[in-house]
Amino acid sequence: QVQLMESGGGSVQAGGSLRLSCVASTYTASSYCVAWFRQAAGKERERVARIVEANYQESTSYADSVKGRFTISQDNAKNTVYLQMNSLKPDDSAMYYCAARVGGCPQSPSAYNYWGQGTQVTVSS
């Protein structure tokens, strides 16, 4: 059983930056796909970034809406995955969730077994 805890959310003005952290109680980087999802009020939960390690190589992927602005990374020694968010826009306002699963990295949130409680990001114009 993996427990995830997010932190780092807050309120910023458009153009600002935030770094979200997701600390896992225990996981082996080579076994898990870790993703950041977000859900705005009245909208479906969407995956914004994911990271997975396979054959000792790290692979990342981003939603088109955040590509070039967000960066996902991991610190294996700290069991932590980060989401660096730059050039934030009001449309980025949402609850951000960290999720993990063993194996591949599907888009659908229903495929992820482990979830954090979420951290709120609010971007004002």
Side-chain angles (χ1 to χ4, degrees):
Q1 185 78 6
V2 177
Q3 294 179 327
L4 304 173
M5 181 171 292
E6 305 96 333
S7 63
S11 297
V12 296
Q13 290 192 327
S17 298
L18 285 173
R19 189 177 79 158
L20 306 184
S21 298
C22 172
V23 180
S25 57
T26 178
Y27 82 98
T28 302
S30 61
S31 302
Y32 285 84
C33 171
V34 181
W36 284 96
F37 287 80
R38 67 184 181 188
Q39 187 167 21
K43 294 188 177 181
E44 293 185 352
R45 193 169 294 191
E46 65 167 342
R47 196 182 77 179
V48 295
R50 62 86 170 151
I51 188 166
V52 64
E53 188 173 310
N55 299 322
Y56 303 102
Q57 289 192 324
E58 199 173 84
S59 170
T60 59
S61 178
Y62 301 90
D64 287 343
S65 58
V66 307
K67 203 171 291 184
R69 300 187 297 121
F70 290 12
T71 303
I72 189 170
S73 62
Q74 62 185 6
D75 184 334
N76 295 340
K78 296 182 179 179
N79 279 355
T80 302
V81 173
Y82 302 99
L83 185 67
Q84 177 68 44
M85 305 186 296
N86 299 329
S87 302
L88 282 162
K89 306 174 181 179
D91 283 350
D92 294 319
S93 297
M95 184 71 80
Y96 282 71
Y97 298 91
C98 174
R101 71 185 302 273
V102 175
C105 296
Q107 289 276 0
S108 173
S110 63
Y112 290 76
N113 308 100
Y114 307 106
W115 290 85
Q117 83 290 349
T119 185
Q120 180 68 41
V121 171
T122 303
V123 184
S124 58
S125 57

